Every structure is written in C-alpha cells, then in structure tokens.
Amino acid sequence: MATNQKNPAGRGPVVSVRLEPELIERLDALAERTKRSRGTYLRRALWAALPELERIHWEQAAADFEELAIKDAFEEITQQLMDEASKLRKSD
C-alpha cells in the first residue's frame, strides 16, 4: 500500500516492506562492503525488476482478455448454431 508520508530529506515517500532475514543479511553485507545504503540497493533492484514485472502483468492481462474474447465468440457461435438447428426442426 502506498503512503503519502514524505522523507525528511525530500527524496520521496517512505515505503515499508517485510523481508526475510537472509535477504536483509545479504543486503546489509553488500551495503557495508560498498559503503552504500540499503535504500540504494533496494531502489536499484526495484528499477531493474519493475519493467519485467510490468511486462508479465500486461502479458497476463492480454491473455485473460484473449481467453474471454474466445469464450464469448464460442458462446455466440454456439447460440447461433442452436438457433439455426431449432429453426430447421420447426420447418420440418
């Protein structure tokens, strides 16, 4: 959930997330070795991962839309065939 809380340094909203202890340990070790902050690496990771996550989302949305369109077309064709069959039975 997004928050409107601003960072005192004016860098943007603060976002909280729970992480597994192993992930925090690795992140902290990297930050310490490179003299950078956790936030630096979290921002880099998000910038790197978001395009792929967005692509996956839009592919799934497109697949869902296509599945629904096919289902709707199938139902329409089936109904038309049933209507035609019913008309043929009535005319016999």
Side-chain angles (χ1 to χ4, degrees), residues 5 22 32-33 54 62:
Q5 182 180 1
E22 179 186 357
E32 187 176 329
R33 281 193 312 269
E54 290 167 334

PDB file of all heavy atoms in Angstrom, residues 5 22 32-33 54 62:
ATOM      1  N   GLN A   5       3.445   9.711   3.176  1.00  0.00           N
ATOM      2  CA  GLN A   5       4.467  10.202   4.096  1.00  0.00           C
ATOM      3  C   GLN A   5       5.721  10.564   3.322  1.00  0.00           C
ATOM      4  O   GLN A   5       6.202   9.806   2.500  1.00  0.00           O
ATOM      5  CB  GLN A   5       4.777   9.113   5.120  1.00  0.00           C
ATOM      6  CG  GLN A   5       5.779   9.524   6.160  1.00  0.00           C
ATOM      7  CD  GLN A   5       6.034   8.385   7.142  1.00  0.00           C
ATOM      8  OE1 GLN A   5       5.471   7.322   7.009  1.00  0.00           O
ATOM      9  NE2 GLN A   5       6.872   8.643   8.113  1.00  0.00           N
ATOM     10  N   GLU A  22      17.458 -13.637   5.803  1.00  0.00           N
ATOM     11  CA  GLU A  22      18.595 -13.904   4.922  1.00  0.00           C
ATOM     12  C   GLU A  22      18.768 -12.791   3.893  1.00  0.00           C
ATOM     13  O   GLU A  22      19.888 -12.372   3.596  1.00  0.00           O
ATOM     14  CB  GLU A  22      18.423 -15.238   4.196  1.00  0.00           C
ATOM     15  CG  GLU A  22      19.577 -15.535   3.260  1.00  0.00           C
ATOM     16  CD  GLU A  22      19.365 -16.778   2.407  1.00  0.00           C
ATOM     17  OE1 GLU A  22      18.337 -17.470   2.554  1.00  0.00           O
ATOM     18  OE2 GLU A  22      20.255 -17.043   1.575  1.00  0.00           O
ATOM     19  N   GLU A  32      27.408  -2.682   3.428  1.00  0.00           N
ATOM     20  CA  GLU A  32      28.600  -2.417   4.237  1.00  0.00           C
ATOM     21  C   GLU A  32      29.878  -2.496   3.386  1.00  0.00           C
ATOM     22  O   GLU A  32      30.756  -1.640   3.492  1.00  0.00           O
ATOM     23  CB  GLU A  32      28.675  -3.417   5.389  1.00  0.00           C
ATOM     24  CG  GLU A  32      29.790  -3.110   6.370  1.00  0.00           C
ATOM     25  CD  GLU A  32      29.783  -4.056   7.558  1.00  0.00           C
ATOM     26  OE1 GLU A  32      28.699  -4.525   7.964  1.00  0.00           O
ATOM     27  OE2 GLU A  32      30.887  -4.329   8.071  1.00  0.00           O
ATOM     28  N   ARG A  33      29.971  -3.531   2.548  1.00  0.00           N
ATOM     29  CA  ARG A  33      31.161  -3.688   1.699  1.00  0.00           C
ATOM     30  C   ARG A  33      31.347  -2.515   0.751  1.00  0.00           C
ATOM     31  O   ARG A  33      32.463  -2.126   0.446  1.00  0.00           O
ATOM     32  CB  ARG A  33      31.066  -4.970   0.863  1.00  0.00           C
ATOM     33  CG  ARG A  33      31.400  -6.235   1.593  1.00  0.00           C
ATOM     34  CD  ARG A  33      31.591  -7.418   0.649  1.00  0.00           C
ATOM     35  NE  ARG A  33      30.557  -7.583  -0.343  1.00  0.00           N
ATOM     36  CZ  ARG A  33      29.452  -8.314  -0.194  1.00  0.00           C
ATOM     37  NH1 ARG A  33      29.223  -8.950   0.939  1.00  0.00           N
ATOM     38  NH2 ARG A  33      28.569  -8.418  -1.170  1.00  0.00           N
ATOM     39  N   GLU A  54       6.068  -5.580 -14.836  1.00  0.00           N
ATOM     40  CA  GLU A  54       5.011  -4.924 -15.615  1.00  0.00           C
ATOM     41  C   GLU A  54       4.735  -5.704 -16.891  1.00  0.00           C
ATOM     42  O   GLU A  54       3.571  -5.878 -17.282  1.00  0.00           O
ATOM     43  CB  GLU A  54       5.413  -3.485 -15.947  1.00  0.00           C
ATOM     44  CG  GLU A  54       5.418  -2.591 -14.730  1.00  0.00           C
ATOM     45  CD  GLU A  54       6.108  -1.259 -14.962  1.00  0.00           C
ATOM     46  OE1 GLU A  54       6.991  -1.156 -15.842  1.00  0.00           O
ATOM     47  OE2 GLU A  54       5.758  -0.303 -14.248  1.00  0.00           O
ATOM     48  N   ALA A  62      -3.417  -9.465 -21.181  1.00  0.00           N
ATOM     49  CA  ALA A  62      -3.739  -9.720 -22.587  1.00  0.00           C
ATOM     50  C   ALA A  62      -4.243 -11.146 -22.766  1.00  0.00           C
ATOM     51  O   ALA A  62      -5.212 -11.389 -23.507  1.00  0.00           O
ATOM     52  CB  ALA A  62      -2.521  -9.471 -23.471  1.00  0.00           C
TER      53      ALA A  62
END
